[in-house]
Short mmCIF file of all heavy atoms in Angstrom, two decimals:
data_model
loop_
_atom_site.label_atom_id
_atom_site.label_comp_id
_atom_site.label_asym_id
_atom_site.label_seq_id
_atom_site.Cartn_x
_atom_site.Cartn_y
_atom_site.Cartn_z
N MET O 8 197.59 -69.01 -34.59
CA MET O 8 196.90 -69.40 -33.41
C MET O 8 195.91 -70.49 -33.77
O MET O 8 195.03 -70.22 -34.63
CB MET O 8 196.28 -68.32 -32.73
CG MET O 8 195.49 -68.67 -31.48
SD MET O 8 194.84 -67.21 -30.67
CE MET O 8 195.79 -67.22 -29.18
N PRO O 9 195.77 -71.64 -33.15
CA PRO O 9 194.91 -72.67 -33.41
C PRO O 9 193.42 -72.22 -33.10
O PRO O 9 193.27 -71.34 -32.25
CB PRO O 9 195.33 -73.88 -32.62
CG PRO O 9 196.31 -73.25 -31.63
CD PRO O 9 196.77 -72.04 -32.00
N GLU O 10 192.45 -72.81 -33.91
CA GLU O 10 191.11 -72.52 -33.65
C GLU O 10 190.70 -72.96 -32.36
O GLU O 10 191.11 -74.10 -31.90
CB GLU O 10 190.36 -73.11 -34.78
CG GLU O 10 188.83 -72.71 -34.75
CD GLU O 10 188.13 -73.31 -35.89
OE1 GLU O 10 188.69 -73.52 -36.91
OE2 GLU O 10 186.86 -73.37 -35.81
N ALA O 11 189.87 -72.27 -31.62
CA ALA O 11 189.26 -72.72 -30.29
C ALA O 11 188.52 -73.98 -30.37
O ALA O 11 187.80 -74.09 -31.38
CB ALA O 11 188.52 -71.59 -29.59
N ALA O 12 188.53 -74.74 -29.40
CA ALA O 12 187.85 -76.05 -29.41
C ALA O 12 186.31 -75.80 -29.20
O ALA O 12 185.84 -74.80 -28.71
CB ALA O 12 188.31 -77.00 -28.37
N VAL O 13 185.52 -76.79 -29.66
CA VAL O 13 184.10 -76.77 -29.38
C VAL O 13 183.83 -77.64 -28.20
O VAL O 13 184.25 -78.74 -28.28
CB VAL O 13 183.27 -77.19 -30.60
CG1 VAL O 13 181.91 -77.36 -30.24
CG2 VAL O 13 183.52 -76.29 -31.85
N LYS O 14 183.06 -77.07 -27.24
CA LYS O 14 182.82 -78.00 -26.08
C LYS O 14 181.59 -78.68 -26.45
O LYS O 14 180.57 -78.10 -27.02
CB LYS O 14 182.60 -77.00 -24.85
CG LYS O 14 183.76 -76.30 -24.33
CD LYS O 14 183.37 -75.61 -23.08
CE LYS O 14 184.81 -74.91 -22.52
NZ LYS O 14 184.45 -74.06 -21.37
N ARG O 15 181.58 -79.92 -26.15
CA ARG O 15 180.34 -80.81 -26.46
C ARG O 15 179.87 -81.41 -25.13
O ARG O 15 180.57 -81.73 -24.20
CB ARG O 15 180.81 -81.93 -27.36
CG ARG O 15 181.38 -81.54 -28.76
CD ARG O 15 181.67 -82.71 -29.56
NE ARG O 15 182.39 -82.10 -30.72
CZ ARG O 15 182.38 -82.94 -31.86
NH1 ARG O 15 181.87 -84.01 -32.03
NH2 ARG O 15 182.88 -82.35 -32.91
N ILE O 16 178.52 -81.38 -25.16
CA ILE O 16 177.70 -82.03 -23.92
C ILE O 16 176.93 -83.20 -24.47
O ILE O 16 176.20 -83.08 -25.40
CB ILE O 16 176.90 -80.94 -23.38
CG1 ILE O 16 177.57 -79.72 -22.84
CG2 ILE O 16 176.03 -81.46 -22.30
CD1 ILE O 16 176.63 -78.59 -22.44
N ALA O 17 177.05 -84.37 -23.87
CA ALA O 17 176.34 -85.48 -24.13
C ALA O 17 175.23 -85.72 -23.14
O ALA O 17 175.43 -85.65 -21.87
CB ALA O 17 177.20 -86.74 -24.13
N LEU O 18 173.99 -85.82 -23.67
CA LEU O 18 172.90 -86.08 -22.75
C LEU O 18 172.45 -87.48 -22.83
O LEU O 18 172.14 -87.92 -23.96
CB LEU O 18 171.63 -85.15 -23.09
CG LEU O 18 172.05 -83.57 -23.15
CD1 LEU O 18 170.88 -82.83 -23.67
CD2 LEU O 18 172.32 -83.08 -21.71
N LEU O 19 172.32 -88.15 -21.79
CA LEU O 19 171.95 -89.55 -21.59
C LEU O 19 170.63 -89.68 -20.86
O LEU O 19 170.45 -89.03 -19.89
CB LEU O 19 173.14 -90.31 -20.97
CG LEU O 19 174.49 -90.29 -21.57
CD1 LEU O 19 175.51 -91.02 -20.71
CD2 LEU O 19 174.54 -90.72 -23.00
N GLY O 20 169.90 -90.64 -21.32
CA GLY O 20 168.62 -90.95 -20.59
C GLY O 20 167.71 -91.78 -21.44
O GLY O 20 168.08 -92.07 -22.48
N GLY O 21 166.74 -92.35 -20.77
CA GLY O 21 165.82 -93.23 -21.45
C GLY O 21 164.93 -92.55 -22.55
O GLY O 21 165.09 -91.23 -22.58
N GLU O 22 164.16 -93.22 -23.18
CA GLU O 22 163.33 -92.75 -24.19
C GLU O 22 162.30 -91.78 -23.61
O GLU O 22 161.81 -92.02 -22.37
CB GLU O 22 162.55 -93.78 -24.94
CG GLU O 22 163.47 -94.74 -25.73
CD GLU O 22 162.71 -95.92 -26.31
OE1 GLU O 22 161.54 -96.04 -26.17
OE2 GLU O 22 163.36 -96.87 -26.67
N SER O 23 161.97 -90.68 -24.31
CA SER O 23 160.95 -89.72 -23.78
C SER O 23 161.39 -89.09 -22.39
O SER O 23 160.45 -88.84 -21.63
CB SER O 23 159.61 -90.34 -23.75
OG SER O 23 159.11 -90.74 -25.11
N SER O 24 162.62 -89.04 -22.12
CA SER O 24 162.98 -88.32 -20.83
C SER O 24 163.39 -86.91 -20.96
O SER O 24 163.63 -86.29 -19.97
CB SER O 24 164.24 -89.18 -20.26
OG SER O 24 165.36 -89.01 -21.07
N GLY O 25 163.24 -86.28 -22.16
CA GLY O 25 163.51 -84.84 -22.34
C GLY O 25 164.86 -84.45 -22.84
O GLY O 25 165.12 -83.32 -22.85
N LYS O 26 165.55 -85.41 -23.30
CA LYS O 26 166.94 -85.05 -23.88
C LYS O 26 166.92 -84.06 -25.04
O LYS O 26 167.69 -83.10 -24.96
CB LYS O 26 167.59 -86.36 -24.23
CG LYS O 26 167.90 -87.34 -23.22
CD LYS O 26 168.52 -88.65 -23.72
CE LYS O 26 167.83 -89.36 -24.81
NZ LYS O 26 166.58 -90.06 -24.46
N THR O 27 166.05 -84.24 -25.84
CA THR O 27 165.90 -83.20 -27.03
C THR O 27 165.51 -81.95 -26.59
O THR O 27 166.04 -80.92 -27.07
CB THR O 27 164.97 -83.78 -28.18
OG1 THR O 27 165.44 -85.12 -28.64
CG2 THR O 27 164.79 -82.87 -29.33
N THR O 28 164.45 -81.93 -25.75
CA THR O 28 164.03 -80.59 -25.12
C THR O 28 165.11 -79.94 -24.49
O THR O 28 165.33 -78.60 -24.63
CB THR O 28 162.79 -80.80 -24.23
OG1 THR O 28 161.85 -81.45 -24.99
CG2 THR O 28 162.25 -79.56 -23.74
N LEU O 29 165.94 -80.60 -23.64
CA LEU O 29 166.99 -80.08 -22.88
C LEU O 29 168.11 -79.59 -23.81
O LEU O 29 168.68 -78.49 -23.59
CB LEU O 29 167.47 -81.05 -21.91
CG LEU O 29 168.78 -80.56 -21.03
CD1 LEU O 29 168.27 -79.29 -20.19
CD2 LEU O 29 169.13 -81.80 -20.09
N ALA O 30 168.38 -80.43 -24.89
CA ALA O 30 169.50 -79.99 -25.82
C ALA O 30 169.07 -78.69 -26.48
O ALA O 30 169.96 -77.84 -26.68
CB ALA O 30 169.68 -81.24 -26.84
N ARG O 31 167.87 -78.59 -27.01
CA ARG O 31 167.45 -77.36 -27.63
C ARG O 31 167.47 -76.16 -26.66
O ARG O 31 167.98 -75.03 -27.04
CB ARG O 31 165.97 -77.44 -28.08
CG ARG O 31 165.85 -78.35 -29.19
CD ARG O 31 164.44 -78.46 -29.66
NE ARG O 31 164.33 -79.17 -30.86
CZ ARG O 31 163.16 -79.94 -31.17
NH1 ARG O 31 162.15 -79.91 -30.29
NH2 ARG O 31 163.17 -80.68 -32.22
N ALA O 32 167.08 -76.26 -25.38
CA ALA O 32 167.11 -75.22 -24.39
C ALA O 32 168.55 -74.89 -24.13
O ALA O 32 168.86 -73.58 -24.07
CB ALA O 32 166.33 -75.69 -23.16
N LEU O 33 169.44 -75.86 -23.90
CA LEU O 33 170.81 -75.48 -23.65
C LEU O 33 171.44 -74.67 -24.81
O LEU O 33 172.20 -73.67 -24.60
CB LEU O 33 171.63 -76.79 -23.33
CG LEU O 33 171.41 -77.42 -22.02
CD1 LEU O 33 172.04 -78.74 -21.93
CD2 LEU O 33 172.11 -76.52 -20.84
N ALA O 34 171.14 -75.19 -25.94
CA ALA O 34 171.72 -74.44 -27.17
C ALA O 34 171.32 -73.10 -27.31
O ALA O 34 172.08 -72.14 -27.57
CB ALA O 34 171.43 -75.21 -28.36
N GLU O 35 169.95 -72.87 -26.95
CA GLU O 35 169.52 -71.51 -26.99
C GLU O 35 170.06 -70.54 -25.91
O GLU O 35 170.61 -69.51 -26.28
CB GLU O 35 167.99 -71.46 -26.71
CG GLU O 35 167.35 -70.15 -26.90
CD GLU O 35 165.75 -70.30 -26.75
OE1 GLU O 35 165.16 -71.31 -27.11
OE2 GLU O 35 165.18 -69.17 -26.31
N VAL O 36 170.22 -71.09 -24.80
CA VAL O 36 170.88 -70.32 -23.61
C VAL O 36 172.30 -70.01 -23.92
O VAL O 36 172.86 -68.96 -23.67
CB VAL O 36 170.73 -71.07 -22.31
CG1 VAL O 36 171.57 -70.40 -21.23
CG2 VAL O 36 169.11 -71.02 -21.92
N LEU O 37 173.08 -71.02 -24.41
CA LEU O 37 174.50 -70.89 -24.88
C LEU O 37 174.69 -70.35 -26.11
O LEU O 37 175.87 -70.19 -26.40
CB LEU O 37 175.11 -72.32 -24.63
CG LEU O 37 174.98 -72.90 -23.20
CD1 LEU O 37 175.51 -74.38 -23.29
CD2 LEU O 37 175.70 -72.07 -22.13
N HIS O 38 173.74 -69.92 -26.90
CA HIS O 38 173.79 -69.36 -28.25
C HIS O 38 174.75 -70.29 -29.09
O HIS O 38 175.83 -69.78 -29.73
CB HIS O 38 174.38 -68.02 -28.08
CG HIS O 38 173.60 -67.06 -27.20
ND1 HIS O 38 172.30 -66.57 -27.45
CD2 HIS O 38 173.85 -66.60 -26.03
CE1 HIS O 38 171.83 -65.93 -26.51
NE2 HIS O 38 172.85 -66.01 -25.49
N THR O 39 174.42 -71.46 -29.23
CA THR O 39 175.15 -72.47 -29.98
C THR O 39 174.36 -73.44 -30.70
O THR O 39 173.07 -73.40 -30.68
CB THR O 39 176.31 -73.11 -29.14
OG1 THR O 39 177.26 -73.73 -30.02
CG2 THR O 39 175.74 -74.12 -28.23
N ALA O 40 174.93 -74.37 -31.32
CA ALA O 40 174.18 -75.33 -32.24
C ALA O 40 173.92 -76.53 -31.28
O ALA O 40 174.67 -76.83 -30.28
CB ALA O 40 175.02 -75.91 -33.35
N TRP O 41 172.93 -77.38 -31.69
CA TRP O 41 172.67 -78.53 -31.07
C TRP O 41 172.52 -79.69 -32.14
O TRP O 41 172.14 -79.33 -33.24
CB TRP O 41 171.47 -78.52 -30.08
CG TRP O 41 170.07 -78.52 -30.80
CD1 TRP O 41 169.54 -77.41 -31.32
CD2 TRP O 41 169.20 -79.55 -31.03
NE1 TRP O 41 168.37 -77.69 -31.90
CE2 TRP O 41 168.09 -78.98 -31.69
CE3 TRP O 41 169.16 -80.95 -30.79
CZ2 TRP O 41 167.07 -79.80 -32.12
CZ3 TRP O 41 168.15 -81.77 -31.11
CH2 TRP O 41 167.18 -81.14 -31.84
N VAL O 42 172.69 -80.91 -31.76
CA VAL O 42 172.60 -82.01 -32.71
C VAL O 42 171.57 -82.97 -32.41
O VAL O 42 171.54 -83.48 -31.32
CB VAL O 42 173.97 -82.80 -32.72
CG1 VAL O 42 173.93 -83.80 -33.69
CG2 VAL O 42 175.05 -81.88 -33.06
N PRO O 43 170.60 -83.23 -33.31
CA PRO O 43 169.50 -84.23 -32.98
C PRO O 43 170.23 -85.65 -32.96
O PRO O 43 171.31 -85.93 -33.31
CB PRO O 43 168.67 -84.03 -34.28
CG PRO O 43 169.34 -83.23 -35.29
CD PRO O 43 170.47 -82.58 -34.59
N GLU O 44 169.50 -86.57 -32.44
CA GLU O 44 169.81 -87.97 -32.23
C GLU O 44 169.50 -88.64 -33.41
O GLU O 44 168.37 -88.98 -33.82
CB GLU O 44 169.13 -88.55 -31.03
CG GLU O 44 169.51 -89.88 -30.76
CD GLU O 44 168.63 -90.59 -29.61
OE1 GLU O 44 167.74 -89.96 -29.09
OE2 GLU O 44 168.84 -91.83 -29.39
N TYR O 45 170.58 -89.26 -34.12
CA TYR O 45 170.32 -89.86 -35.34
C TYR O 45 169.58 -91.26 -35.04
O TYR O 45 168.71 -91.69 -35.92
CB TYR O 45 171.65 -90.21 -36.16
CG TYR O 45 171.40 -91.02 -37.35
CD1 TYR O 45 170.99 -90.40 -38.47
CD2 TYR O 45 171.68 -92.32 -37.44
CE1 TYR O 45 170.61 -91.06 -39.68
CE2 TYR O 45 171.41 -93.08 -38.58
CZ TYR O 45 170.90 -92.41 -39.69
OH TYR O 45 170.66 -93.17 -40.76
N GLY O 46 169.92 -91.91 -33.95
CA GLY O 46 169.25 -93.11 -33.62
C GLY O 46 167.82 -93.02 -33.62
O GLY O 46 167.08 -93.95 -34.08
N ARG O 47 167.28 -91.89 -33.06
CA ARG O 47 165.91 -91.64 -32.96
C ARG O 47 165.35 -91.60 -34.43
O ARG O 47 164.16 -92.17 -34.66
CB ARG O 47 165.54 -90.46 -32.24
CG ARG O 47 164.04 -90.10 -32.20
CD ARG O 47 163.79 -88.80 -31.43
NE ARG O 47 162.32 -88.74 -31.33
CZ ARG O 47 161.68 -88.44 -30.16
NH1 ARG O 47 162.40 -88.35 -29.11
NH2 ARG O 47 160.38 -88.27 -30.08
N GLN O 48 165.94 -90.83 -35.27
CA GLN O 48 165.55 -90.68 -36.67
C GLN O 48 165.41 -92.07 -37.35
O GLN O 48 164.46 -92.48 -37.96
CB GLN O 48 166.40 -89.80 -37.47
CG GLN O 48 165.96 -89.73 -39.02
CD GLN O 48 166.90 -88.84 -39.82
OE1 GLN O 48 167.18 -87.74 -39.40
NE2 GLN O 48 167.17 -89.38 -40.88
N ARG O 49 166.49 -92.91 -37.11
CA ARG O 49 166.49 -94.20 -37.66
C ARG O 49 165.28 -95.19 -37.15
O ARG O 49 164.73 -95.80 -37.96
CB ARG O 49 167.95 -94.84 -37.49
CG ARG O 49 168.06 -96.15 -38.07
CD ARG O 49 168.25 -95.88 -39.58
NE ARG O 49 168.39 -97.22 -40.25
CZ ARG O 49 167.87 -97.57 -41.35
NH1 ARG O 49 166.97 -96.84 -41.96
NH2 ARG O 49 168.09 -98.75 -41.86
N TRP O 50 165.06 -94.99 -35.86
CA TRP O 50 163.94 -95.78 -35.23
C TRP O 50 162.71 -95.37 -35.85
O TRP O 50 161.90 -96.26 -36.20
CB TRP O 50 163.99 -95.62 -33.87
CG TRP O 50 162.88 -96.33 -33.22
CD1 TRP O 50 162.74 -97.66 -32.85
CD2 TRP O 50 161.45 -95.93 -33.09
NE1 TRP O 50 161.58 -98.00 -32.37
CE2 TRP O 50 160.71 -96.85 -32.40
CE3 TRP O 50 160.91 -94.70 -33.20
CZ2 TRP O 50 159.41 -96.80 -32.07
CZ3 TRP O 50 159.55 -94.48 -32.92
CH2 TRP O 50 158.84 -95.53 -32.24
N GLU O 51 162.51 -94.03 -36.16
CA GLU O 51 161.30 -93.69 -36.71
C GLU O 51 161.02 -94.12 -38.16
O GLU O 51 160.00 -94.37 -38.59
CB GLU O 51 161.21 -92.07 -36.69
CG GLU O 51 160.94 -91.56 -35.19
CD GLU O 51 160.94 -89.98 -35.05
OE1 GLU O 51 161.22 -89.34 -36.06
OE2 GLU O 51 160.70 -89.62 -34.00
N GLU O 52 162.25 -94.21 -38.87
CA GLU O 52 162.14 -94.79 -40.34
C GLU O 52 161.77 -96.23 -40.22
O GLU O 52 160.94 -96.79 -41.10
CB GLU O 52 163.54 -94.66 -40.91
CG GLU O 52 163.93 -93.24 -41.16
CD GLU O 52 165.32 -93.13 -41.65
OE1 GLU O 52 166.01 -94.08 -41.81
OE2 GLU O 52 165.72 -91.89 -41.86
N LEU O 53 162.37 -97.06 -39.20
CA LEU O 53 162.14 -98.48 -39.26
C LEU O 53 160.89 -98.90 -38.37
O LEU O 53 160.33 -99.92 -38.63
CB LEU O 53 163.24 -99.23 -38.58
CG LEU O 53 164.68 -98.94 -39.47
CD1 LEU O 53 165.82 -99.75 -38.77
CD2 LEU O 53 164.56 -99.60 -40.82
N ARG O 54 160.57 -98.22 -37.40
CA ARG O 54 159.42 -98.41 -36.47
C ARG O 54 159.66 -99.77 -35.76
O ARG O 54 158.68 -100.57 -35.73
CB ARG O 54 158.14 -98.27 -37.05
CG ARG O 54 157.73 -96.87 -37.41
CD ARG O 54 157.54 -96.14 -36.08
NE ARG O 54 157.10 -94.75 -36.42
CZ ARG O 54 157.00 -93.83 -35.56
NH1 ARG O 54 157.19 -94.19 -34.27
NH2 ARG O 54 156.63 -92.62 -35.84
N GLU O 55 160.78 -100.20 -35.47
CA GLU O 55 161.16 -101.37 -34.79
C GLU O 55 162.30 -101.24 -33.98
O GLU O 55 163.16 -100.30 -34.09
CB GLU O 55 161.26 -102.51 -35.76
CG GLU O 55 162.54 -102.44 -36.72
CD GLU O 55 162.52 -103.52 -37.72
OE1 GLU O 55 161.51 -104.06 -38.26
OE2 GLU O 55 163.80 -103.96 -38.02
N THR O 56 162.57 -102.10 -32.90
CA THR O 56 163.61 -102.07 -32.03
C THR O 56 164.89 -102.33 -33.00
O THR O 56 164.98 -103.11 -33.79
CB THR O 56 163.64 -103.14 -31.13
OG1 THR O 56 162.51 -103.02 -30.24
CG2 THR O 56 164.87 -103.26 -30.06
N LEU O 57 165.92 -101.28 -32.76
CA LEU O 57 167.07 -101.36 -33.55
C LEU O 57 168.05 -102.60 -33.03
O LEU O 57 168.20 -102.77 -31.83
CB LEU O 57 167.98 -100.11 -33.47
CG LEU O 57 167.27 -98.87 -33.86
CD1 LEU O 57 168.05 -97.61 -33.74
CD2 LEU O 57 166.73 -98.97 -35.30
N SER O 58 168.52 -103.27 -33.99
CA SER O 58 169.45 -104.50 -33.75
C SER O 58 170.87 -103.93 -33.32
O SER O 58 171.12 -102.72 -33.52
CB SER O 58 169.56 -105.45 -34.91
OG SER O 58 170.19 -104.68 -35.91
N LEU O 59 171.62 -104.76 -32.67
CA LEU O 59 172.89 -104.43 -32.39
C LEU O 59 173.79 -103.86 -33.66
O LEU O 59 174.33 -102.73 -33.51
CB LEU O 59 173.79 -105.44 -31.62
CG LEU O 59 175.06 -105.07 -31.29
CD1 LEU O 59 175.14 -103.86 -30.29
CD2 LEU O 59 175.84 -106.46 -30.53
N PRO O 60 173.71 -104.55 -34.73
CA PRO O 60 174.42 -104.04 -35.92
C PRO O 60 173.90 -102.63 -36.39
O PRO O 60 174.62 -101.78 -36.79
CB PRO O 60 174.25 -105.12 -37.07
CG PRO O 60 174.02 -106.31 -36.32
CD PRO O 60 173.20 -105.88 -34.97
N GLU O 61 172.55 -102.53 -36.23
CA GLU O 61 171.91 -101.13 -36.56
C GLU O 61 172.34 -100.16 -35.65
O GLU O 61 172.66 -99.03 -36.10
CB GLU O 61 170.38 -101.33 -36.48
CG GLU O 61 169.64 -100.20 -37.07
CD GLU O 61 169.75 -100.08 -38.57
OE1 GLU O 61 169.68 -100.88 -39.30
OE2 GLU O 61 169.77 -98.90 -39.03
N LEU O 62 172.49 -100.38 -34.35
CA LEU O 62 172.83 -99.49 -33.44
C LEU O 62 174.42 -99.06 -33.68
O LEU O 62 174.70 -97.81 -33.53
CB LEU O 62 172.80 -99.89 -31.98
CG LEU O 62 171.38 -100.15 -31.42
CD1 LEU O 62 171.32 -100.84 -30.09
CD2 LEU O 62 170.67 -98.69 -31.26
N VAL O 63 175.27 -99.99 -34.03
CA VAL O 63 176.61 -99.68 -34.43
C VAL O 63 176.65 -98.78 -35.67
O VAL O 63 177.37 -97.74 -35.78
CB VAL O 63 177.36 -100.98 -34.60
CG1 VAL O 63 178.77 -100.67 -35.16
CG2 VAL O 63 177.55 -101.72 -33.25
N ALA O 64 175.85 -99.09 -36.57
CA ALA O 64 175.65 -98.34 -37.81
C ALA O 64 175.21 -97.01 -37.66
O ALA O 64 175.54 -96.11 -38.36
CB ALA O 64 174.84 -99.09 -38.83
N VAL O 65 174.42 -96.67 -36.64
CA VAL O 65 173.89 -95.42 -36.20
C VAL O 65 175.15 -94.45 -35.80
O VAL O 65 174.98 -93.23 -36.00
CB VAL O 65 172.89 -95.48 -35.06
CG1 VAL O 65 172.67 -94.20 -34.42
CG2 VAL O 65 171.57 -96.02 -35.64
N ALA O 66 176.19 -94.92 -35.32
CA ALA O 66 177.25 -94.08 -34.84
C ALA O 66 177.92 -93.23 -35.88
O ALA O 66 178.22 -92.11 -35.61
CB ALA O 66 178.34 -95.02 -34.20
N ARG O 67 178.11 -93.80 -37.06
CA ARG O 67 178.76 -93.07 -38.17
C ARG O 67 178.01 -91.75 -38.45
O ARG O 67 178.64 -90.71 -38.64
CB ARG O 67 178.99 -94.03 -39.32
CG ARG O 67 180.17 -94.87 -39.14
CD ARG O 67 180.60 -95.61 -40.47
NE ARG O 67 181.80 -96.51 -40.19
CZ ARG O 67 181.65 -97.75 -39.98
NH1 ARG O 67 180.42 -98.36 -39.99
NH2 ARG O 67 182.69 -98.43 -39.73
N PRO O 68 176.72 -91.99 -38.83
CA PRO O 68 176.14 -90.59 -39.13
C PRO O 68 175.93 -89.66 -37.96
O PRO O 68 176.04 -88.48 -38.11
CB PRO O 68 174.65 -91.11 -39.65
CG PRO O 68 174.66 -92.62 -39.79
CD PRO O 68 175.92 -93.07 -39.15
N GLN O 69 175.83 -90.16 -36.77
CA GLN O 69 175.78 -89.38 -35.57
C GLN O 69 177.04 -88.54 -35.53
O GLN O 69 176.94 -87.35 -35.30
CB GLN O 69 175.52 -90.14 -34.25
CG GLN O 69 175.42 -89.19 -33.02
CD GLN O 69 174.11 -88.53 -33.06
OE1 GLN O 69 173.11 -89.03 -33.37
NE2 GLN O 69 174.19 -87.36 -32.59
N ILE O 70 178.18 -89.13 -35.71
CA ILE O 70 179.35 -88.43 -35.53
C ILE O 70 179.50 -87.48 -36.72
O ILE O 70 180.09 -86.26 -36.41
CB ILE O 70 180.56 -89.56 -35.58
CG1 ILE O 70 180.59 -90.34 -34.24
CG2 ILE O 70 182.00 -88.70 -35.78
CD1 ILE O 70 181.55 -91.45 -34.30
N ALA O 71 179.10 -87.82 -37.85
CA ALA O 71 179.21 -86.87 -38.97
C ALA O 71 178.25 -85.58 -38.67
O ALA O 71 178.72 -84.45 -39.06
CB ALA O 71 178.61 -87.52 -40.28
N TRP O 72 177.12 -85.89 -38.14
CA TRP O 72 176.23 -84.74 -37.81
C TRP O 72 176.88 -83.94 -36.72
O TRP O 72 176.79 -82.68 -36.84
CB TRP O 72 174.85 -85.26 -37.16
CG TRP O 72 173.91 -85.75 -38.27
CD1 TRP O 72 174.02 -85.92 -39.53
CD2 TRP O 72 172.49 -86.10 -37.94
NE1 TRP O 72 172.86 -86.33 -40.09
CE2 TRP O 72 171.89 -86.50 -39.09
CE3 TRP O 72 171.74 -86.17 -36.81
CZ2 TRP O 72 170.64 -86.78 -39.26
CZ3 TRP O 72 170.43 -86.60 -36.80
CH2 TRP O 72 169.88 -86.91 -38.07
N GLU O 73 177.48 -84.50 -35.65
CA GLU O 73 178.19 -83.70 -34.56
C GLU O 73 179.28 -82.88 -35.34
O GLU O 73 179.43 -81.70 -34.87
CB GLU O 73 178.77 -84.64 -33.64
CG GLU O 73 177.58 -85.27 -32.77
CD GLU O 73 178.18 -86.16 -31.82
OE1 GLU O 73 179.41 -86.24 -31.42
OE2 GLU O 73 177.36 -87.01 -31.30
N ASP O 74 179.99 -83.35 -36.14
CA ASP O 74 181.08 -82.64 -36.84
C ASP O 74 180.63 -81.51 -37.70
O ASP O 74 181.16 -80.40 -37.57
CB ASP O 74 181.92 -83.60 -37.76
CG ASP O 74 182.83 -84.53 -36.84
OD1 ASP O 74 182.93 -84.32 -35.57
OD2 ASP O 74 183.43 -85.54 -37.41
N GLN O 75 179.44 -81.75 -38.40
CA GLN O 75 178.87 -80.74 -39.25
C GLN O 75 178.40 -79.51 -38.35
O GLN O 75 178.66 -78.40 -38.68
CB GLN O 75 177.78 -81.21 -40.03
CG GLN O 75 178.16 -82.22 -41.18
CD GLN O 75 177.07 -82.87 -41.78
OE1 GLN O 75 175.94 -82.79 -41.27
NE2 GLN O 75 177.25 -83.67 -42.86
N HIS O 76 177.66 -79.91 -37.30
CA HIS O 76 177.22 -78.84 -36.35
C HIS O 76 178.34 -78.18 -35.58
O HIS O 76 178.14 -76.92 -35.26
CB HIS O 76 176.20 -79.52 -35.44
CG HIS O 76 174.80 -79.75 -36.02
ND1 HIS O 76 174.68 -80.85 -36.76
CD2 HIS O 76 173.61 -79.24 -35.97
CE1 HIS O 76 173.38 -80.88 -37.24
NE2 HIS O 76 172.77 -79.76 -36.61
N ALA O 77 179.39 -78.83 -35.30
CA ALA O 77 180.54 -78.28 -34.55
C ALA O 77 181.11 -76.95 -35.44
O ALA O 77 181.56 -76.10 -34.90
CB ALA O 77 181.59 -79.34 -34.31
N ALA O 78 181.06 -77.22 -36.70
CA ALA O 78 181.49 -76.08 -37.53
C ALA O 78 180.78 -74.81 -37.36
O ALA O 78 181.25 -73.68 -37.62
CB ALA O 78 181.44 -76.46 -39.09
N ARG O 79 179.49 -74.84 -36.83
CA ARG O 79 178.56 -73.69 -36.70
C ARG O 79 178.48 -73.35 -35.21
O ARG O 79 177.76 -72.44 -34.77
CB ARG O 79 177.19 -73.91 -37.16
CG ARG O 79 177.20 -74.19 -38.61
CD ARG O 79 175.76 -74.49 -39.23
NE ARG O 79 175.29 -75.73 -38.81
CZ ARG O 79 174.05 -76.06 -38.20
NH1 ARG O 79 173.36 -75.09 -38.00
NH2 ARG O 79 173.78 -77.12 -38.01
N ALA O 80 179.11 -74.05 -34.31
CA ALA O 80 179.04 -74.01 -32.86
C ALA O 80 179.77 -72.91 -32.24
O ALA O 80 180.79 -72.46 -32.87
CB ALA O 80 179.27 -75.22 -32.10
N ALA O 81 179.42 -72.31 -31.12
CA ALA O 81 180.13 -71.38 -30.55
C ALA O 81 181.42 -71.99 -30.01
O ALA O 81 181.51 -73.09 -29.57
CB ALA O 81 179.30 -70.79 -29.29
N ARG O 82 182.50 -71.21 -30.07
CA ARG O 82 183.80 -71.66 -29.66
C ARG O 82 184.12 -71.29 -28.15
O ARG O 82 183.60 -70.36 -27.56
CB ARG O 82 184.92 -71.04 -30.48
CG ARG O 82 184.73 -71.37 -32.03
CD ARG O 82 185.12 -72.72 -32.33
NE ARG O 82 184.75 -73.07 -33.66
CZ ARG O 82 184.76 -74.19 -34.09
NH1 ARG O 82 185.06 -75.39 -33.43
NH2 ARG O 82 184.31 -74.54 -35.35
N ALA O 83 184.89 -72.19 -27.54
CA ALA O 83 185.35 -71.97 -26.18
C ALA O 83 186.07 -70.64 -25.96
O ALA O 83 186.65 -70.11 -26.84
CB ALA O 83 186.13 -73.06 -25.72
#
């Protein structure tokens, strides 16, 4: 029997709109993992507006983080 899929929820919104707080709260209520935003970490490292190539480069680590956390997430 195939392994059950992991449901993913994407939170969209502007800076400081509460996405991280909401992600943590949802994960707690749903008893599952949540994934931090890699783009925010990258911005904190550079402390400057991310260029288009930088934003594209952020996608690879973000997807890797999501896949790593999915291994620990609650199954459907």
Side-chain angles (χ1 to χ4, degrees):
M8 176 178 246
E10 186 175 340
V13 173
K14 292 181 182 179
R15 297 182 187 206
I16 299 171
L18 302 175
L19 305 175
E22 296 172 12
S23 299
S24 61
K26 297 180 301 290
T27 299
T28 301
L29 180 56
R31 286 179 178 149
L33 282 169
E35 184 176 329
V36 168
L37 299 173
H38 307 289
T39 193
W41 73 280
V42 182
E44 179 188 359
Y45 180 74
R47 180 181 183 129
Q48 176 181 316
R49 187 69 180 135
W50 178 85
E51 287 176 357
E52 292 169 0
L53 298 175
R54 289 293 183 186
E55 62 184 40
T56 301
L57 301 180
S58 66
L59 182 57
E61 187 72 39
L62 288 171
V63 171
V65 160
R67 284 191 178 97
Q69 182 68 43
I70 292 167
W72 280 9
E73 290 176 17
D74 290 344
Q75 289 168 356
H76 284 77
R79 298 181 287 134
R82 301 289 168 187

